Amino acid sequence: PGSRNDSTMNVRTNGAMATSAKLAKAPVTMQMRGTKAGFGARKHVADLGTMASHGRSKGRLSRKAALVVSAAVTTKISSKDEGSFDVDEFTNKDTASTVLGIILGGGAGSRLYPLTKRRAKPAVPLGANYRLIDIPVSNCINSNINKIYCLTQFNSASLNRHLSQAYNSNIGSYNKRGFVEVLAAQQSPTNPKWFQGTADAVRQYLWLFEESVKDGIEDYIILSGDHLYRMDYEAFIRKHRESGADVTVSAVPMDERRAEAFGLMKIDGTGRITDFAEKPSGDALKAMAVDTTILGLDEERAKEMPYIASMGIYVFKAQAMLDLLTRYFPQANDFGSEIIPGAKDSGMHVQAYLFDGYWEDIGTVEAFFNANLSLTEQPNPKFSFYDRDAPIYTMSRFLPPSKLLDCEVEDSIIGDGCLIKQATIHHSVIGLRSLINEGAVLENCLLMGADYYEQPNECELLPGCLPMGIGQGSIIKNCIVDKNARIGPNVQIINKDGVKEANNEDQGYIIKDGITVICRDSIIPEGTVI
């Protein structure tokens, strides 16, 4: 039938609606070519329905094909009698019922301090309206993975609140149970220790994950809660199953300049990983060069990027995970440095999967700051929240639209519920419920906003109280302002001396990597110069 895409999807009906003996006897196959391998079968089904409704009037679909489309659709390829490959028995199993998502919340987040002083890393605000945890959770939902755990042991209260309010009432369907839950570190009679690392965190909750195996889970996808990227996990899992791997590692191509800062992998002609090296340099770095065309990169870009670096994202067969964590390496604490190399050395099939898209590890204040401001780039930002096919979800806050009164705003993002009066804003991200008063100037700034609206009379009743937000005539440059901060009138936060590091938390701010960070709930008095 009609064609507009490159991906192929085969669908079948049980034959109940078939109008011929041939249709009734065997599953019917229909191929659809599509623009890209979309996120989940739902988009494909919608496209097929569209083809059925429009195709009949245009003569592009036969009556039989239209009947096939209108029937109950599954992701099974047709009968083997016709020479087809039964994908449902191998690679295209429904990810909603066979894959469990496990998001690692990370450690104490000391490199992101003070942003992690009262919240877990995945709960740090992102892009005005979102939080970091929304990225992997949304990727899971868009990839038809609706059973998701997030492991954390530091400051998990705000993360737990966000996940419970944002997702649990909306994920899954009437016949496919879904959830997004936080699993905090806990002490038990069998294990009195807190999480000792990424692998140990998974090991301590392996008893819970093994229960899901009884319900049909076959693979675990291990994700990080502090990365910014958009990825189709279904394609990742499909490649994992097609290769027959025990473990598949997602990797990004790297040029020589950046490769020294990452853990690199070496592969054979089939993409199977044969060697690992942690942040190599010199001859050791050159020895890790590979032919990245093996993983799908074109020849020109393969010459520019001859290295592959681990993203810290893995797919494990459920049995392989159990064997590695309890049988082969019961004392290992880390996936990247211990479990993955150990799996290769123990003879398991460890495969590489190339992700050739934007990916940023938001592990430092500088990386976090730059990733947020890069969202304002035009016309093509490295990462965009404006994607119809793969949206990023978050909590519904029911805030009013932002109001800008006589402002000058350039290359900026304004979150929901803001009130900005006669201010100048350039290359900045303004978070939820931000209040910016007359004459304020913000340049290269990230404002995280506020958790609540403060009524005018609330502050007036307190002697010397500063209203929440940015005061009149204040100038703020190259700065992160955490939530609920109170910055008085005529304040200058400009770091005019170019200080790289300074710890003045008692005064309400810290400077990291040359970026001034105003701490959460801080009060910066009128006329202060930083």
Side-chain angles (χ1 to χ4, degrees), residues 291-491:
D291 180 7
T292 46
T293 60
I294 295 170
L295 299 177
L297 211 61
D298 62 74
E299 292 187 6
E300 183 176 347
R301 295 193 65 234
K303 291 178 181 177
E304 299 172 358
M305 299 185 174
Y307 302 95
I308 53 172
S310 171
M311 296 170 62
I313 298 174
Y314 318 105
V315 176
F316 284 81
K317 284 183 179 177
Q319 186 59 48
M321 176 76 83
L322 180 64
D323 290 341
L324 287 167
L325 295 184
T326 62
R327 179 181 170 192
Y328 296 134
F329 308 103
Q331 303 302 319
N333 293 325
D334 186 69
F335 277 117
S337 61
E338 296 175 277
I339 297 296
I340 303 299
K344 185 264 298 181
D345 294 338
S346 65
M348 285 189 174
H349 181 173
V350 183
Q351 188 78 9
Y353 172 80
L354 188 74
F355 174 69
D356 188 21
Y358 173 75
W359 171 78
E360 186 66 48
D361 182 356
I362 304 182
T364 66
V365 168
E366 183 178 24
F368 173 74
F369 182 68
N370 291 336
N372 272 276
L373 293 192
S374 70
L375 299 172
T376 68
E377 294 176 359
Q378 292 297 327
N380 298 309
K382 296 175 183 177
F383 183 89
S384 174
F385 288 98
Y386 302 88
D387 191 313
R388 181 180 64 180
D389 294 328
I392 302 300
Y393 307 98
T394 192
M395 181 169 61
S396 297
R397 299 178 178 89
F398 308 106
L399 290 172
S402 290
K403 183 185 293 186
L404 284 71
L405 305 175
D406 192 18
C407 300
E408 182 180 327
V409 181
E410 182 181 2
D411 295 339
S412 297
I413 294 174
I414 311 295
D416 294 339
C418 298
L419 176 58
I420 307 174
K421 310 172 187 175
Q422 300 176 7
T424 300
I425 302 172
H426 173 69
H427 195 227
S428 297
V429 176
I430 310 301
L432 301 163
R433 307 183 189 88
S434 290
L435 174 62
I436 304 176
N437 286 295
E438 295 89 342
V441 176
L442 281 73
E443 183 177 334
N444 298 326
C445 288
L446 168 59
L447 267 63
M448 293 188 179
D451 287 322
Y452 56 92
Y453 284 121
E454 183 179 68
Q455 299 302 318
N457 59 348
E458 289 183 51
C459 193
E460 292 173 0
L461 297 174
L462 299 175
C465 175
L466 282 175
M468 194 181 296
I470 311 299
Q472 297 179 2
S474 291
I475 300 174
I476 306 176
K477 298 182 179 180
N478 206 43
C479 180
I480 299 173
V481 180
D482 207 342
K483 284 194 171 184
N484 306 334
R486 301 170 185 270
I487 297 177
N490 303 312
V491 169

Side-chain angles (χ1 to χ4, degrees), residues 179-254:
F179 56 81
V180 182
E181 294 182 9
V182 172
L183 298 177
Q186 60 183 8
Q187 294 175 306
S188 67
T190 57
N191 195 336
K193 298 180 180 178
W194 301 114
F195 295 158
Q196 302 301 303
T198 54
D200 184 61
V202 174
R203 182 187 294 110
Q204 290 195 32
Y205 275 104
L206 203 55
W207 61 271
L208 179 62
F209 305 149
E210 281 297 298
E211 288 183 1
S212 65
V213 174
K214 301 173 185 176
D215 296 329
I217 295 297
E218 299 177 10
D219 297 290
Y220 303 133
I221 183 166
I222 308 296
L223 307 167
S224 177
D226 58 355
H227 294 170
L228 180 61
Y229 64 108
R230 180 180 276 106
M231 184 176 182
D232 181 4
Y233 297 146
E234 277 194 307
F236 183 18
I237 294 162
R238 190 180 308 118
K239 285 292 185 182
H240 165 76
R241 291 172 172 173
E242 287 174 355
S243 67
D246 297 296
V247 184
T248 301
V249 182
S250 186
V252 289
M254 285 280 167

Side-chain angles (χ1 to χ4, degrees), residues 42-334:
R42 291 167 298 187
K43 181 176 182 297
H44 292 296
V45 172
D47 287 345
L48 287 169
T50 302
M51 290 177 67
S53 61
H54 296 292
R56 279 177 288 197
S57 63
K58 296 181 180 180
R60 295 196 306 169
L61 287 175
S62 67
R63 183 170 180 272
K64 293 179 181 179
L67 286 169
V68 170
V69 171
S70 62
V73 176
T74 68
T75 54
K76 257 190 186 176
I77 286 187
S78 66
S79 70
K80 295 178 182 177
D81 299 340
E82 300 171 349
S84 301
F85 184 73
D86 196 342
V87 175
D88 189 44
E89 292 182 3
F90 186 47
T91 60
N92 267 0
K93 295 179 182 178
D94 181 17
T95 51
S97 49
T98 62
V99 179
L100 180 69
I102 302 172
I103 302 173
L104 303 175
S110 57
R111 295 185 300 164
L112 268 176
Y113 191 88
L115 303 179
T116 53
K117 182 179 181 179
R118 296 183 185 175
R119 58 170 78 94
K121 270 200 297 185
V124 173
L126 171 75
N129 283 1
Y130 306 88
R131 292 180 185 251
L132 282 173
I133 190 65
D134 292 326
I135 301 300
V137 172
S138 297
N139 283 337
C140 283
I141 294 172
N142 293 331
S143 302
N144 200 29
I145 298 171
N146 64 5
K147 297 178 178 66
I148 307 162
Y149 287 112
C150 181
L151 304 183
T152 183
Q153 70 178 359
F154 293 97
N155 293 326
S156 59
S158 63
L159 177 63
N160 197 359
R161 182 173 60 250
H162 177 78
L163 290 177
S164 62
Q165 293 178 358
Y167 298 104
N168 277 340
S169 61
N170 300 311
I171 194 170
S173 62
Y174 74 98
N175 63 349
K176 290 184 179 179
R177 184 175 64 93
F179 56 81
V180 182
E181 294 182 9
V182 172
L183 298 177
Q186 60 183 8
Q187 294 175 306
S188 67
T190 57
N191 195 336
K193 298 180 180 178
W194 301 114
F195 295 158
Q196 302 301 303
T198 54
D200 184 61
V202 174
R203 182 187 294 110
Q204 290 195 32
Y205 275 104
L206 203 55
W207 61 271
L208 179 62
F209 305 149
E210 281 297 298
E211 288 183 1
S212 65
V213 174
K214 301 173 185 176
D215 296 329
I217 295 297
E218 299 177 10
D219 297 290
Y220 303 133
I221 183 166
I222 308 296
L223 307 167
S224 177
D226 58 355
H227 294 170
L228 180 61
Y229 64 108
R230 180 180 276 106
M231 184 176 182
D232 181 4
Y233 297 146
E234 277 194 307
F236 183 18
I237 294 162
R238 190 180 308 118
K239 285 292 185 182
H240 165 76
R241 291 172 172 173
E242 287 174 355
S243 67
D246 297 296
V247 184
T248 301
V249 182
S250 186
V252 289
M254 285 280 167
D255 55 28
E256 187 170 344
R257 180 181 60 84
R258 294 185 300 154
E260 291 185 356
F262 290 88
L264 304 181
M265 300 174 290
K266 202 170 180 66
I267 57 174
D268 64 14
T270 64
R272 183 166 180 165
I273 297 173
T274 59
D275 196 13
F276 293 89
E278 186 65 26
K279 298 181 180 179
S281 59
D283 292 338
L285 174 62
K286 295 184 183 302
M288 295 302 294
V290 299
D291 180 7
T292 46
T293 60
I294 295 170
L295 299 177
L297 211 61
D298 62 74
E299 292 187 6
E300 183 176 347
R301 295 193 65 234
K303 291 178 181 177
E304 299 172 358
M305 299 185 174
Y307 302 95
I308 53 172
S310 171
M311 296 170 62
I313 298 174
Y314 318 105
V315 176
F316 284 81
K317 284 183 179 177
Q319 186 59 48
M321 176 76 83
L322 180 64
D323 290 341
L324 287 167
L325 295 184
T326 62
R327 179 181 170 192
Y328 296 134
F329 308 103
Q331 303 302 319
N333 293 325
D334 186 69

